[in-house]
């Protein structure tokens, strides 16, 4: 458990660490890193390491490109593989401008600033994500969409061929300090889920980024391709990243109220109310790819309608049945391609607004929403999530609250990237179109 520079120096010595990877993410949540030999670690911790930010997506203009990485000592961990040329450790970094002020395009900074707002109200945020991913075969050095196995939900060997690889990923994550709760085959062919215990929001966002590269690396070492693409196979479930959230106050779960009939504190409903009010704009952040919207369709366990409920799993937002310290809200729309820092920041900002303004989430929906007819949906005033990235981006563009929460820099860059993605997609004629229309008209 590392808390100071001294702890880092001791850990380096005790483990004979030779290299340190300084890790951060761009605005899309893509992990970047620069490796330094341990001889540079003192400099990194004392003054930071300079780098050119201009070639990182969503960072800065060329004329102000000198940025400084400052490692967060609490994130020090030993990487579990490739120790042949010496032990490698990683530290996650915060990004600063040359004048020493934090860089407003650093996703970690954006999350930190919302967490500070929560802290000023006496709250800290716990987040537990459930990342799903696919394992595909590699042929001639190239990833395919051929599933590695034909297992189904919770299936066992021989249908589940990935037991050993999943276990290897789990062991790698444990080495990196993860507290793993469960690992299982998911519903789709070749699809898996590994759950780790919730933690404070910043550590969890770091963990999501780490989880993705550990999974990809260990799959690759086993000759497989791991992907967090939200919907790689047309007729199979896609991969989600349910986000479980709770607020703590004075070390206690603030969503739990033993006196309430449902044992749920009223602020939980307001938190949900805030999220629902801003969910359309949030979706551009939590579901950032063209492909994300192919997952958010009826019939594949993914949410489509903007509703909340108790334990019923067809809703966008759920309050799972667990109480006490496990009382939580589960948002089911995010997918594992998102930037976790910005996603958690946007969700928390909206939830806090809900608490401050006591936003009413409306009636819970206790029926299976997928069974409702269009009239049933209309009678209940049930709205849908944005159907495309374009629609989601338009909602984010109009959402002044989210712009203020994320900062103008991040808001503008997210929109620039989303619209560019849409424009590139729009130019393509897809196989589906030729198959459907070539002979029909
Ligand atoms: P599901 O039933 O939706 O499949 P899982 O058991 O797969 O749920 O995952 C539940 C997640 O919620 C785990 O990451 C767990 O650590 C997390 N969690 C549990 N209690 C809390 C809490 N109080 N706050 C935030 N996350 C929590
Ligand atoms: Mg789960
Ligand atoms: Mg589970
Ligand atoms: Mg799952
Ligand atoms: Mg879940």
């Amino acid at each position: 458990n590392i808390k100071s520079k001294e702890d880092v120096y001791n850990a380096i010595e005790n483990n004979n660490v030779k290299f340190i990877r300084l890790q951060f993410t761009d605005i899309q949540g893509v992990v970047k890193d620069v490796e330094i030999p341990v001889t540079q670690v003192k400099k990194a911790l004392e003054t930071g390491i300079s780098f050119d930010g201009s070639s990182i997506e969503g960072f800065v203009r060329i004329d102000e490109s000198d940025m400084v990485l400052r490692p967060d000592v609490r994130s020090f961990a030993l990487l579990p593989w490739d120790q042949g040329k010496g032990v490698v450790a990683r530290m996650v970094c915060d990004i600063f401008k040359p004048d020493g002020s934090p860089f407003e395009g650093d996703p970690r900074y954006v999350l930190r600033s919302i967490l500070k707002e929560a802290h000023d109200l006496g709250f800290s945020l716990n987040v537990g994500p459930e990342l799903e991913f696919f394992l595909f075969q590699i042929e001639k050095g190239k990833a395919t969409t051929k599933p590695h196995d034909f297992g189904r939900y919770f299936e066992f060997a021989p249908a589940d061929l990935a037991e050993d690889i999943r276990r290897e990923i789990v062991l790698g994550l444990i080495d990196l300090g993860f507290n793993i709760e469960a690992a299982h085959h998911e519903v789709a062919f070749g699809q898996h889920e590994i759950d780790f215990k919730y933690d404070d929001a910043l550590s969890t966002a770091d963990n999501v980024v780490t989880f993705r590269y550990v999974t990809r690396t260990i799959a690759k070492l086993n000759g497989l391709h791991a992907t967090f693409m939200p919907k790689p196979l047309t007729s199979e479930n896609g991969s989600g990243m349910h986000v479980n959230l709770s607020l703590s106050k004075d070390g206690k779960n603030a969503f739990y109220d033993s006196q309430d009939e449902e044992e749920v504190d009223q602020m939980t409903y307001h938190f949900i109310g805030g999220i629902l009010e801003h969910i359309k704009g949030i979706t551009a952040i939590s579901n950032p790819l063209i492909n994300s919207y192919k997952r958010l369709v009826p019939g594949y366990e993914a949410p489509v309608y903007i509703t909340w409920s108790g334990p019923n799993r067809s809703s966008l937002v759920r309050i799972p049945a667990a109480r006490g310290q496990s009382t939580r809200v589960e948002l089911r729309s995010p997918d594992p391609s998102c930037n976790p820092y910005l996603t958690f920041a946007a969700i928390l900002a909206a939830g806090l607004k809900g608490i401050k303004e006591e936003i009413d989430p409306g009636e819970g929906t206790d029926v299976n929403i997928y069974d409702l007819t269009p009239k049933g949906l209309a009678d209940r005033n049930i709205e849908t999530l944005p159907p495309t990235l374009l629609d989601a981006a338009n909602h984010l563009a109009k959402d002044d609250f989210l712009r203020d929460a994320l900062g103008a820099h991040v808001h503008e860059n997210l929109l620039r990237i989303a619209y560019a993605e849409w424009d590139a997609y729009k130019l393509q004629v897809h196989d589906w179109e030729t198959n459907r229309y070539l002979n029909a008209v």
Side-chain angles (χ1 to χ4, degrees):
N1 209 343
I2 294 194
K3 292 202 174 73
S4 67
K5 292 176 195 166
E6 296 315 313
D7 293 342
V8 170
Y9 299 139
N10 289 336
I12 287 174
E13 186 147 328
N14 296 340
N15 295 286
N16 196 21
V17 173
K18 292 279 191 273
F19 297 96
I20 301 199
R21 305 188 76 142
L22 301 180
Q23 177 186 323
F24 60 100
T25 73
D26 70 9
I27 196 163
Q28 293 173 287
V30 176
V31 63
K32 306 280 165 185
D33 79 348
V34 46
E35 188 170 86
I36 56 170
V38 276
T39 50
Q40 298 297 308
V41 73
K42 209 169 164 102
K43 179 171 165 228
L45 290 178
E46 300 294 336
T47 60
I49 298 281
S50 301
F51 75 108
D52 175 1
S54 64
S55 28
I56 307 279
E57 182 60 272
F59 276 26
V60 269
R61 292 193 311 270
I62 219 88
D63 54 323
E64 45 181 45
S65 60
D66 282 331
M67 310 294 262
V68 180
L69 292 175
R70 288 179 169 274
D72 180 343
V73 292
R74 292 176 319 146
S75 66
F76 181 94
L78 304 180
L79 293 181
W81 62 81
D82 198 19
Q83 311 276 332
K85 300 213 168 44
V87 179
V88 184
R90 75 91 204 253
M91 281 189 275
V92 185
C93 299
D94 293 300
I95 305 171
F96 293 83
K97 294 187 281 197
D99 69 6
S101 59
F103 170 46
E104 50 283 290
D106 175 9
R108 236 174 165 248
Y109 167 73
V110 173
L111 179 55
R112 274 185 192 282
S113 53
I114 311 281
L115 290 171
K116 171 152 190 318
E117 208 181 296
H119 192 256
D120 292 343
L121 296 168
F123 294 122
S124 60
L125 176 68
N126 303 306
V127 182
E130 303 168 51
L131 286 100
E132 295 170 337
F133 60 92
F134 280 81
L135 291 176
F136 288 122
Q137 297 177 32
I138 296 178
E139 281 175 2
K140 299 196 182 106
K142 275 193 147 167
T144 69
T145 51
K146 290 184 188 164
H148 163 244
D149 68 13
F150 291 93
R152 288 297 192 191
Y153 191 64
F154 271 39
E155 265 181 355
F156 217 64
D160 173 11
L161 294 177
E163 282 184 322
D164 290 346
I165 298 164
R166 247 189 352 249
R167 218 167 270 149
E168 217 178 293
I169 296 169
V170 166
L171 290 173
L173 293 170
I174 289 173
D175 282 351
L176 276 158
F178 281 62
N179 187 341
I180 302 292
E181 291 189 330
H184 59 85
H185 204 289
E186 254 303 336
V187 171
F189 294 148
Q191 192 187 30
H192 304 275
E193 175 173 320
I194 298 175
D195 297 318
F196 50 94
K197 188 173 182 337
Y198 68 92
D199 202 342
D200 71 88
L202 191 69
S203 305
T204 297
D206 290 342
N207 282 344
V208 168
V209 173
T210 305
F211 182 98
R212 293 192 295 215
Y213 73 69
V214 168
T215 301
R216 277 196 289 256
T217 303
I218 292 178
K220 193 150 183 234
L221 292 172
N222 284 280
L224 292 170
H225 181 74
T227 182
F228 295 91
M229 181 175 174
K231 181 86 174 185
L233 302 174
T234 301
S235 315
E236 295 281 332
N237 277 9
S239 292
M241 185 180 83
H242 298 169
V243 177
N244 294 267
L245 308 125
S246 64
L247 293 175
S248 296
K249 199 167 201 167
D250 306 323
K252 290 206 188 80
N253 188 321
F255 286 171
Y256 177 59
D257 177 1
S258 59
Q259 303 305 307
D260 178 76
E261 193 184 340
E262 300 285 334
E263 296 181 73
V264 172
D265 193 281
Q266 290 308 304
M267 87 168 63
T268 316
Y269 301 109
H270 299 146
F271 189 82
I272 293 173
I275 293 174
L276 295 184
E277 186 167 300
H278 290 282
I279 192 64
K280 290 180 180 174
I282 291 172
T283 304
I285 306 164
S286 58
N287 304 76
L289 305 184
I290 296 287
N291 183 252
S292 297
Y293 296 82
K294 314 239 158 135
R295 167 177 164 260
L296 299 175
V297 297
Y300 295 94
E301 297 187 11
V304 178
Y305 304 107
I306 302 179
T307 57
W308 72 274
S309 67
N312 166 1
R313 283 183 188 255
S314 64
S315 272
L316 172 66
V317 176
R318 260 194 339 133
I319 303 176
R323 292 293 181 264
Q325 275 300 105
S326 301
T327 314
R328 63 187 190 266
V329 164
E330 179 187 41
L331 178 65
R332 298 165 63 78
S333 52
D335 72 54
S337 72
C338 72
N339 182 322
Y341 302 97
L342 299 179
T343 299
F344 300 165
I347 298 169
L348 175 60
L352 284 179
K353 176 185 169 191
I355 290 175
K356 282 190 273 191
E357 299 181 8
E358 304 193 351
I359 298 176
D360 177 3
E363 290 261 330
T365 306
D366 282 323
V367 293
N368 185 338
I369 298 139
Y370 301 126
D371 294 341
L372 290 177
T373 59
K375 183 168 182 310
L377 291 167
D379 287 349
R380 288 164 198 255
N381 269 325
I382 293 178
E383 292 192 76
T384 56
L385 288 172
T388 62
L389 181 59
L390 176 63
D391 193 50
N394 286 339
H395 283 288
L396 180 60
K398 282 188 304 213
D399 195 322
D400 293 338
F401 170 78
L402 287 177
R403 191 207 296 114
D404 289 346
L406 300 166
H409 179 101
V410 163
H411 189 254
E412 273 164 32
N413 277 282
L414 285 173
L415 289 172
R416 177 182 55 74
I417 294 166
Y419 287 128
E421 201 70 357
W422 182 261
D423 287 342
Y425 174 64
K426 205 171 58 178
L427 289 177
Q428 296 296 319
V429 177
H430 304 271
D431 288 350
W432 183 90
E433 295 168 81
T434 20
N435 293 338
R436 194 150 177 113
Y437 304 130
L438 192 61
N439 294 311
V441 288

